[in-house]
Amino acid sequence: FKAFDTTCPHQGCAVSSVADNQLVCPCHQSHFDLTTGEPTPESQAKRALTTKQVTVSGDTFTVA
């Protein structure tokens, strides 16, 4: 499992949707790879989304 902080590194807006296997920031349309958090080449964001730690315990998922 992968989890990313929802704060876009471009200007701090909340990344809030998924389209075509990419996470999308609504402020300036930066797109990030759904599996790595890396920005696409045409994105205004040049840094990846911050990775979060995912812990699985039975049926419980914890993101920190």
Side-chain angles (χ1 to χ4, degrees), residues 15-61:
V15 175
S16 59
S17 64
V18 177
D20 299 321
N21 291 320
Q22 296 178 345
L23 300 161
V24 182
C25 178
C27 293
H28 299 102
Q29 296 302 307
S30 286
H31 287 68
F32 301 87
D33 184 279
L34 186 63
T35 59
T36 66
E38 291 292 326
T40 58
E42 62 277 355
S43 292
Q44 289 189 32
K46 299 304 176 199
R47 294 188 327 262
L49 295 171
T50 301
T51 303
K52 300 293 242 171
Q53 177 84 21
V54 179
T55 304
V56 179
S57 179
D59 292 338
T60 304
F61 295 81

